[in-house]
PDB file of all heavy atoms in Angstrom:
ATOM      1  N   ILE B  21     288.475 176.485  41.517  1.00 98.00           N
ATOM      2  CA  ILE B  21     288.443 177.353  40.342  1.00 98.00           C
ATOM      3  C   ILE B  21     287.758 178.644  40.757  1.00 98.00           C
ATOM      4  O   ILE B  21     286.743 178.619  41.469  1.00 98.00           O
ATOM      5  CB  ILE B  21     287.661 176.685  39.200  1.00 98.00           C
ATOM      6  CG1 ILE B  21     288.358 175.384  38.777  1.00 98.00           C
ATOM      7  CG2 ILE B  21     287.502 177.621  38.016  1.00 98.00           C
ATOM      8  CD1 ILE B  21     287.500 174.510  37.868  1.00 98.00           C
ATOM      9  N   LEU B  33     274.882 183.270  39.698  1.00 98.00           N
ATOM     10  CA  LEU B  33     276.006 182.615  39.047  1.00 98.00           C
ATOM     11  C   LEU B  33     275.768 181.114  38.960  1.00 98.00           C
ATOM     12  O   LEU B  33     275.250 180.498  39.886  1.00 98.00           O
ATOM     13  CB  LEU B  33     277.309 182.863  39.816  1.00 98.00           C
ATOM     14  CG  LEU B  33     278.512 182.289  39.061  1.00 98.00           C
ATOM     15  CD1 LEU B  33     279.211 183.380  38.277  1.00 98.00           C
ATOM     16  CD2 LEU B  33     279.462 181.551  39.958  1.00 98.00           C
ATOM     17  N   ALA B  34     276.160 180.553  37.815  1.00 98.00           N
ATOM     18  CA  ALA B  34     276.101 179.112  37.607  1.00 98.00           C
ATOM     19  C   ALA B  34     277.453 178.583  37.204  1.00 98.00           C
ATOM     20  O   ALA B  34     278.302 179.332  36.682  1.00 98.00           O
ATOM     21  CB  ALA B  34     275.061 178.775  36.529  1.00 98.00           C
ATOM     22  N   TRP B  35     277.638 177.289  37.461  1.00 98.00           N
ATOM     23  CA  TRP B  35     278.830 176.570  37.012  1.00 98.00           C
ATOM     24  C   TRP B  35     278.404 175.390  36.159  1.00 98.00           C
ATOM     25  O   TRP B  35     277.441 174.690  36.484  1.00 98.00           O
ATOM     26  CB  TRP B  35     279.616 176.045  38.210  1.00 98.00           C
ATOM     27  CG  TRP B  35     280.302 177.109  39.032  1.00 98.00           C
ATOM     28  CD1 TRP B  35     279.870 177.682  40.176  1.00 98.00           C
ATOM     29  CD2 TRP B  35     281.575 177.692  38.758  1.00 98.00           C
ATOM     30  NE1 TRP B  35     280.778 178.582  40.642  1.00 98.00           N
ATOM     31  CE2 TRP B  35     281.839 178.607  39.792  1.00 98.00           C
ATOM     32  CE3 TRP B  35     282.533 177.536  37.752  1.00 98.00           C
ATOM     33  CZ2 TRP B  35     283.019 179.363  39.846  1.00 98.00           C
ATOM     34  CZ3 TRP B  35     283.698 178.282  37.795  1.00 98.00           C
ATOM     35  CH2 TRP B  35     283.927 179.185  38.840  1.00 98.00           C
ATOM     36  N   LEU B  47     276.056 172.249  36.992  1.00 98.00           N
ATOM     37  CA  LEU B  47     276.478 171.691  38.282  1.00 98.00           C
ATOM     38  C   LEU B  47     275.878 172.453  39.452  1.00 98.00           C
ATOM     39  O   LEU B  47     275.366 171.846  40.403  1.00 98.00           O
ATOM     40  CB  LEU B  47     278.005 171.775  38.413  1.00 98.00           C
ATOM     41  CG  LEU B  47     278.862 171.038  37.400  1.00 98.00           C
ATOM     42  CD1 LEU B  47     280.347 171.344  37.663  1.00 98.00           C
ATOM     43  CD2 LEU B  47     278.606 169.535  37.464  1.00 98.00           C
ATOM     44  N   ILE B  48     275.975 173.767  39.372  1.00 98.00           N
ATOM     45  CA  ILE B  48     275.586 174.630  40.505  1.00 98.00           C
ATOM     46  C   ILE B  48     274.905 175.869  39.926  1.00 98.00           C
ATOM     47  O   ILE B  48     275.315 176.395  38.890  1.00 98.00           O
ATOM     48  CB  ILE B  48     276.836 175.031  41.310  1.00 98.00           C
ATOM     49  CG1 ILE B  48     277.314 173.823  42.127  1.00 98.00           C
ATOM     50  CG2 ILE B  48     276.566 176.217  42.225  1.00 98.00           C
ATOM     51  CD1 ILE B  48     278.678 173.982  42.732  1.00 98.00           C
ATOM     52  N   TYR B  49     273.871 176.321  40.605  1.00 98.00           N
ATOM     53  CA  TYR B  49     273.222 177.571  40.247  1.00 98.00           C
ATOM     54  C   TYR B  49     272.991 178.405  41.521  1.00 98.00           C
ATOM     55  O   TYR B  49     273.136 177.895  42.628  1.00 98.00           O
ATOM     56  CB  TYR B  49     271.912 177.347  39.482  1.00 98.00           C
ATOM     57  CG  TYR B  49     270.853 176.599  40.265  1.00 98.00           C
ATOM     58  CD1 TYR B  49     269.874 177.287  40.979  1.00 98.00           C
ATOM     59  CD2 TYR B  49     270.834 175.212  40.315  1.00 98.00           C
ATOM     60  CE1 TYR B  49     268.924 176.613  41.720  1.00 98.00           C
ATOM     61  CE2 TYR B  49     269.870 174.514  41.039  1.00 98.00           C
ATOM     62  CZ  TYR B  49     268.917 175.228  41.723  1.00 98.00           C
ATOM     63  OH  TYR B  49     267.974 174.537  42.462  1.00 98.00           O
ATOM     64  N   ALA B  50     272.658 179.651  41.316  1.00 98.00           N
ATOM     65  CA  ALA B  50     272.523 180.582  42.450  1.00 98.00           C
ATOM     66  C   ALA B  50     273.761 180.533  43.334  1.00 98.00           C
ATOM     67  O   ALA B  50     273.664 180.565  44.571  1.00 98.00           O
ATOM     68  CB  ALA B  50     271.257 180.277  43.254  1.00 98.00           C
ATOM     69  N   ALA B  51     274.908 180.413  42.696  1.00 98.00           N
ATOM     70  CA  ALA B  51     276.228 180.449  43.324  1.00 98.00           C
ATOM     71  C   ALA B  51     276.591 179.227  44.161  1.00 98.00           C
ATOM     72  O   ALA B  51     277.738 178.793  44.165  1.00 98.00           O
ATOM     73  CB  ALA B  51     276.415 181.706  44.152  1.00 98.00           C
ATOM     74  N   SER B  52     275.594 178.653  44.861  1.00 98.00           N
ATOM     75  CA  SER B  52     275.932 177.579  45.793  1.00 98.00           C
ATOM     76  C   SER B  52     274.928 176.437  45.849  1.00 98.00           C
ATOM     77  O   SER B  52     275.112 175.518  46.660  1.00 98.00           O
ATOM     78  CB  SER B  52     276.108 178.139  47.205  1.00 98.00           C
ATOM     79  OG  SER B  52     274.898 178.747  47.637  1.00 98.00           O
ATOM     80  N   THR B  53     273.907 176.465  45.048  1.00 98.00           N
ATOM     81  CA  THR B  53     272.896 175.427  45.062  1.00 98.00           C
ATOM     82  C   THR B  53     273.271 174.307  44.090  1.00 98.00           C
ATOM     83  O   THR B  53     273.434 174.532  42.887  1.00 98.00           O
ATOM     84  CB  THR B  53     271.523 175.990  44.672  1.00 98.00           C
ATOM     85  OG1 THR B  53     271.163 177.045  45.583  1.00 98.00           O
ATOM     86  CG2 THR B  53     270.457 174.902  44.735  1.00 98.00           C
ATOM     87  N   LEU B  54     273.392 173.117  44.638  1.00 98.00           N
ATOM     88  CA  LEU B  54     273.804 171.959  43.839  1.00 98.00           C
ATOM     89  C   LEU B  54     272.631 171.480  43.004  1.00 98.00           C
ATOM     90  O   LEU B  54     271.518 171.259  43.518  1.00 98.00           O
ATOM     91  CB  LEU B  54     274.262 170.853  44.777  1.00 98.00           C
ATOM     92  CG  LEU B  54     275.179 169.773  44.207  1.00 98.00           C
ATOM     93  CD1 LEU B  54     276.520 170.347  43.777  1.00 98.00           C
ATOM     94  CD2 LEU B  54     275.406 168.672  45.257  1.00 98.00           C
ATOM     95  N   GLN B  55     272.853 171.354  41.713  1.00 97.00           N
ATOM     96  CA  GLN B  55     271.823 170.829  40.831  1.00 97.00           C
ATOM     97  C   GLN B  55     271.521 169.371  41.192  1.00 97.00           C
ATOM     98  O   GLN B  55     272.443 168.611  41.583  1.00 97.00           O
ATOM     99  CB  GLN B  55     272.269 170.929  39.368  1.00 97.00           C
ATOM    100  CG  GLN B  55     271.380 170.258  38.341  1.00 97.00           C
ATOM    101  CD  GLN B  55     270.035 170.956  38.144  1.00 97.00           C
ATOM    102  OE1 GLN B  55     269.755 171.968  38.789  1.00 97.00           O
ATOM    103  NE2 GLN B  55     269.242 170.459  37.222  1.00 97.00           N
ATOM    104  N   PRO B  59     277.126 165.158  42.198  1.00 97.00           N
ATOM    105  CA  PRO B  59     277.771 164.649  43.425  1.00 97.00           C
ATOM    106  C   PRO B  59     278.119 165.752  44.412  1.00 97.00           C
ATOM    107  O   PRO B  59     278.465 166.874  44.000  1.00 97.00           O
ATOM    108  CB  PRO B  59     279.016 163.951  42.896  1.00 97.00           C
ATOM    109  CG  PRO B  59     278.717 163.616  41.483  1.00 97.00           C
ATOM    110  CD  PRO B  59     277.824 164.712  40.986  1.00 97.00           C
ATOM    111  N   SER B  60     278.076 165.412  45.681  1.00 97.00           N
ATOM    112  CA  SER B  60     278.292 166.413  46.729  1.00 97.00           C
ATOM    113  C   SER B  60     279.751 166.855  46.835  1.00 97.00           C
ATOM    114  O   SER B  60     280.053 167.777  47.597  1.00 97.00           O
ATOM    115  CB  SER B  60     277.815 165.866  48.083  1.00 97.00           C
ATOM    116  OG  SER B  60     278.501 164.682  48.388  1.00 97.00           O
ATOM    117  N   ARG B  61     280.664 166.225  46.104  1.00 98.00           N
ATOM    118  CA  ARG B  61     282.056 166.695  46.108  1.00 98.00           C
ATOM    119  C   ARG B  61     282.207 168.038  45.393  1.00 98.00           C
ATOM    120  O   ARG B  61     283.196 168.712  45.549  1.00 98.00           O
ATOM    121  CB  ARG B  61     282.995 165.661  45.499  1.00 98.00           C
ATOM    122  CG  ARG B  61     282.751 165.363  44.031  1.00 98.00           C
ATOM    123  CD  ARG B  61     283.750 164.304  43.537  1.00 98.00           C
ATOM    124  NE  ARG B  61     283.523 163.952  42.125  1.00 98.00           N
ATOM    125  CZ  ARG B  61     282.673 163.028  41.716  1.00 98.00           C
ATOM    126  NH1 ARG B  61     281.963 162.345  42.616  1.00 98.00           N
ATOM    127  NH2 ARG B  61     282.536 162.781  40.432  1.00 98.00           N
ATOM    128  N   PHE B  62     281.168 168.424  44.641  1.00 98.00           N
ATOM    129  CA  PHE B  62     281.151 169.726  44.004  1.00 98.00           C
ATOM    130  C   PHE B  62     280.465 170.734  44.940  1.00 98.00           C
ATOM    131  O   PHE B  62     279.413 170.448  45.504  1.00 98.00           O
ATOM    132  CB  PHE B  62     280.390 169.693  42.678  1.00 98.00           C
ATOM    133  CG  PHE B  62     281.070 168.916  41.593  1.00 98.00           C
ATOM    134  CD1 PHE B  62     280.798 167.572  41.397  1.00 98.00           C
ATOM    135  CD2 PHE B  62     282.002 169.528  40.775  1.00 98.00           C
ATOM    136  CE1 PHE B  62     281.436 166.850  40.406  1.00 98.00           C
ATOM    137  CE2 PHE B  62     282.642 168.815  39.764  1.00 98.00           C
ATOM    138  CZ  PHE B  62     282.361 167.467  39.585  1.00 98.00           C
ATOM    139  N   SER B  63     281.074 171.894  45.101  1.00 98.00           N
ATOM    140  CA  SER B  63     280.432 172.932  45.878  1.00 98.00           C
ATOM    141  C   SER B  63     280.801 174.303  45.290  1.00 98.00           C
ATOM    142  O   SER B  63     281.838 174.462  44.661  1.00 98.00           O
ATOM    143  CB  SER B  63     280.857 172.859  47.354  1.00 98.00           C
ATOM    144  OG  SER B  63     282.232 173.105  47.479  1.00 98.00           O
ATOM    145  N   GLY B  64     279.909 175.249  45.505  1.00 98.00           N
ATOM    146  CA  GLY B  64     280.129 176.601  45.038  1.00 98.00           C
ATOM    147  C   GLY B  64     279.950 177.608  46.149  1.00 98.00           C
ATOM    148  O   GLY B  64     279.168 177.370  47.092  1.00 98.00           O
ATOM    149  N   SER B  65     280.666 178.705  46.065  1.00 98.00           N
ATOM    150  CA  SER B  65     280.539 179.731  47.079  1.00 98.00           C
ATOM    151  C   SER B  65     280.807 181.103  46.445  1.00 98.00           C
ATOM    152  O   SER B  65     281.300 181.198  45.311  1.00 98.00           O
ATOM    153  CB  SER B  65     281.505 179.488  48.228  1.00 98.00           C
ATOM    154  OG  SER B  65     282.851 179.589  47.774  1.00 98.00           O
ATOM    155  N   GLY B  66     280.466 182.127  47.232  1.00 98.00           N
ATOM    156  CA  GLY B  66     280.736 183.493  46.791  1.00 98.00           C
ATOM    157  C   GLY B  66     279.475 184.278  46.542  1.00 98.00           C
ATOM    158  O   GLY B  66     278.367 183.725  46.442  1.00 98.00           O
ATOM    159  N   SER B  67     279.654 185.571  46.456  1.00 98.00           N
ATOM    160  CA  SER B  67     278.574 186.495  46.084  1.00 98.00           C
ATOM    161  C   SER B  67     279.210 187.830  45.721  1.00 98.00           C
ATOM    162  O   SER B  67     280.364 188.099  46.071  1.00 98.00           O
ATOM    163  CB  SER B  67     277.542 186.656  47.211  1.00 98.00           C
ATOM    164  OG  SER B  67     278.129 187.321  48.299  1.00 98.00           O
ATOM    165  N   ASP B  70     283.080 187.807  43.427  1.00 98.00           N
ATOM    166  CA  ASP B  70     284.056 186.720  43.516  1.00 98.00           C
ATOM    167  C   ASP B  70     283.400 185.402  43.910  1.00 98.00           C
ATOM    168  O   ASP B  70     282.688 185.325  44.922  1.00 98.00           O
ATOM    169  CB  ASP B  70     285.146 187.081  44.530  1.00 98.00           C
ATOM    170  CG  ASP B  70     285.994 188.255  44.050  1.00 98.00           C
ATOM    171  OD1 ASP B  70     286.411 188.230  42.881  1.00 98.00           O
ATOM    172  OD2 ASP B  70     286.202 189.171  44.833  1.00 98.00           O
ATOM    173  N   PHE B  71     283.690 184.379  43.112  1.00 98.00           N
ATOM    174  CA  PHE B  71     283.043 183.073  43.258  1.00 98.00           C
ATOM    175  C   PHE B  71     284.069 181.965  43.114  1.00 98.00           C
ATOM    176  O   PHE B  71     285.095 182.155  42.439  1.00 98.00           O
ATOM    177  CB  PHE B  71     281.954 182.912  42.187  1.00 98.00           C
ATOM    178  CG  PHE B  71     280.908 183.978  42.241  1.00 98.00           C
ATOM    179  CD1 PHE B  71     281.080 185.182  41.576  1.00 98.00           C
ATOM    180  CD2 PHE B  71     279.743 183.799  42.983  1.00 98.00           C
ATOM    181  CE1 PHE B  71     280.135 186.172  41.622  1.00 98.00           C
ATOM    182  CE2 PHE B  71     278.768 184.774  43.043  1.00 98.00           C
ATOM    183  CZ  PHE B  71     278.970 185.974  42.373  1.00 98.00           C
ATOM    184  N   THR B  72     283.771 180.845  43.757  1.00 98.00           N
ATOM    185  CA  THR B  72     284.635 179.675  43.600  1.00 98.00           C
ATOM    186  C   THR B  72     283.822 178.425  43.388  1.00 98.00           C
ATOM    187  O   THR B  72     282.711 178.279  43.909  1.00 98.00           O
ATOM    188  CB  THR B  72     285.539 179.481  44.825  1.00 98.00           C
ATOM    189  OG1 THR B  72     284.715 179.292  45.986  1.00 98.00           O
ATOM    190  CG2 THR B  72     286.450 180.653  45.047  1.00 98.00           C
ATOM    191  N   LEU B  73     284.386 177.526  42.611  1.00 98.00           N
ATOM    192  CA  LEU B  73     283.892 176.172  42.442  1.00 98.00           C
ATOM    193  C   LEU B  73     284.977 175.267  43.043  1.00 98.00           C
ATOM    194  O   LEU B  73     286.150 175.377  42.666  1.00 98.00           O
ATOM    195  CB  LEU B  73     283.659 175.820  40.996  1.00 98.00           C
ATOM    196  CG  LEU B  73     283.340 174.354  40.686  1.00 98.00           C
ATOM    197  CD1 LEU B  73     281.948 173.984  41.206  1.00 98.00           C
ATOM    198  CD2 LEU B  73     283.446 174.041  39.193  1.00 98.00           C
ATOM    199  N   THR B  74     284.573 174.383  43.948  1.00 98.00           N
ATOM    200  CA  THR B  74     285.519 173.467  44.559  1.00 98.00           C
ATOM    201  C   THR B  74     285.086 172.039  44.307  1.00 98.00           C
ATOM    202  O   THR B  74     283.915 171.701  44.442  1.00 98.00           O
ATOM    203  CB  THR B  74     285.606 173.737  46.089  1.00 98.00           C
ATOM    204  OG1 THR B  74     286.046 175.074  46.315  1.00 98.00           O
ATOM    205  CG2 THR B  74     286.574 172.759  46.736  1.00 98.00           C
ATOM    206  N   ILE B  75     286.054 171.237  43.920  1.00 98.00           N
ATOM    207  CA  ILE B  75     285.861 169.785  43.843  1.00 98.00           C
ATOM    208  C   ILE B  75     286.686 169.220  44.979  1.00 98.00           C
ATOM    209  O   ILE B  75     287.918 169.336  44.980  1.00 98.00           O
ATOM    210  CB  ILE B  75     286.332 169.217  42.487  1.00 98.00           C
ATOM    211  CG1 ILE B  75     285.723 170.017  41.332  1.00 98.00           C
ATOM    212  CG2 ILE B  75     285.936 167.745  42.375  1.00 98.00           C
ATOM    213  CD1 ILE B  75     286.274 169.662  39.963  1.00 98.00           C
TER     214      ILE B  75
END
Side-chain angles (χ1 to χ4, degrees):
Chain B
I21 298 168
L33 186 98
W35 290 98
L47 300 176
I48 287 168
Y49 62 95
S52 61
T53 302
L54 202 64
Q55 173 69 0
S60 59
R61 63 181 179 273
F62 291 92
S63 64
S65 65
S67 67
D70 294 312
F71 301 87
T72 60
L73 172 70
T74 300
I75 310 172

